[in-house]
Amino acid sequence: MTATRVLVLNSGSSSVKYQLLDMRDSRRLAVGLVERIGEENSRLKHTPLTTGGASRERTGPIADHEAALKAVAEELAADGLGLDSAELAAIGHRVVHGGQSFTEPTVIDDTVLAEIERLIPVAPLHNPANLTGIRTARALRPDLPQVAVFDTAFHTTMPESAARYAIDVETADAHRIRRYGFHGTSHAYVSRATAELLGKGPSEVNVIVLHLGNGASASAVEGGRCVDTSMGLTPLEGLVMGTRSGDMDPAVIFHLMRVGGMSTDEIDTLLNKKSGLIGLCGDNDMREIRRRIDEGDERAKLAFDIYIHRLKKYIGAYYAVLGRVDAVAFTAGVGENAAPVREAALAGLAGLGLAVDGDLNAVRGDEPRLISPAGARVAVAVVPTDEELEIAAQTYTLVGKNI
Ligand SMILES: Nc1ncnc2c1ncn2[C@@H]1O[C@H](COP(=O)(O)OP(=O)(O)O)[C@@H](O)[C@H]1O
Ligand SMILES: CC(=O)OP(=O)(O)O
Ligand SMILES: [Mg+2]
């Protein structure tokens, strides 16, 4: 029997998303999510897709990522899809920061683990969770190839003019300070799917991809290659996010230290966890913000307006970077679901050939779809991302090569 299954683990700071796929036809056998890890009210939702069985939920405290993965392994085993299966070919892991060391999916050994660990200071919310996922999976199946697929990989094609900060070159190089970019698996998948939606090959189109989840980033993709993206050394730069500030004058930090008396760690927490939408209005979920706006809440409205203003600036910037834009693609939790965000982000941009059709924008669905009016100069699309499928495909291709 040939092993054709891949388990994908996407470990976030407080969650794990997972999928088990059969790569003969990219079919999902099981999907699930563990959220609020480390809190009292953790939740595991597991959906087996082979048996037609209903989703199962576990609630109650799940202390850490190791406990989360063990619970996931138990749920899979209960459906006869356990990690001990001979049909499992590999486990694919999302790893957020690969620095300059990793530009391709990589089979994980001790050296690779050490490098992911070395990069923790530049992805403090993400790399530790990714590492725990890898270590736990390795302990459960030491014989199986474990593959790391890096968020940063797709952005390594950025030219130096976009990747470098305008700071002293020697200092930057000594500390490997440059713009790496993140969510690359999503930007790669969505830019390709957008080309397909237009009936073209990836090399034929220029696309602005707006990945708007809890973390959010924009990218300019020219003929299938990333030429700029909004996140930088860490996933803090760029757009306004659920809990992160995105762009601001770096002198705000000196000011908070000198005048505000805050420590480095306090400022780190402020900008990564207590800023963005949650810092502006107390909520980071766009659904809740829209509900509050409908009730006339001024703070929620201001938070929304700041979010949209930043998004619009990046759309304009990447329009200029690309020169010719064939499509703008919205993706991830907010991009796929929040019609008012899409409408507001492109409002007033008809002069650039950008517009949203109100009726098409209101349609919900899981398939890639156009929301621009017929005959528009630039296509505007909603393209659901699938980081797990992309990670599975890259993992399976790499493992196939190594057999
Ligand atoms: N129906 C919806 N309407 C508006 N926003 C939504 C909706 N569903 C999800 N979201 C937004 O999507 C976010 C999560 O996006 P997701 O891509 O899953 O993020 P992450 O992978 O960073 O956890 C939520 O915080 C919420 O703001
Ligand atoms: C890199 C990053 O911001 O990821 P996420 O959106 O999953 O937090
Ligand atoms: Mg995400």
Side-chain angles (χ1 to χ4, degrees), residues 10 15 17 94 183 211-215 244 277 284-287 290 331-335 337-338 364 385 387:
N10 178 348
S15 69
K17 292 179 189 165
R94 175 187 183 208
H183 296 134
H211 175 109
L212 311 176
N214 212 351
R244 296 173 230 161
L277 293 171
N284 63 332
D285 193 309
M286 193 52 83
R287 284 165 286 201
R290 290 303 311 173
T331 196
V334 176
N337 295 299
R364 301 187 68 83
T385 192
E387 289 165 289

Side-chain angles (χ1 to χ4, degrees), residues 250-324:
V252 169
I253 296 168
F254 320 141
H255 188 81
L256 287 173
M257 292 177 102
R258 292 184 187 129
V259 182
M262 289 176 74
S263 70
T264 311
D265 285 347
E266 283 169 344
I267 299 171
D268 193 332
T269 303
L270 175 79
L271 299 180
N272 273 301
K273 297 190 174 168
K274 297 182 180 170
S275 296
L277 293 171
I278 206 162
L280 289 166
C281 74
D283 273 307
N284 63 332
D285 193 309
M286 193 52 83
R287 284 165 286 201
E288 191 55 23
I289 292 171
R290 290 303 311 173
R291 197 191 55 74
R292 283 173 55 186
I293 293 172
D294 289 343
E295 286 176 353
D297 186 317
E298 292 293 331
R299 261 183 86 189
K301 175 73 170 72
L302 180 59
F304 183 84
D305 289 348
I306 294 169
Y307 183 97
I308 295 296
H309 181 73
R310 184 83 50 83
L311 187 55
K312 192 174 271 196
K313 286 213 291 199
Y314 270 93
I315 294 167
Y318 289 169
Y319 205 116
V321 165
L322 290 168
R324 186 201 85 224

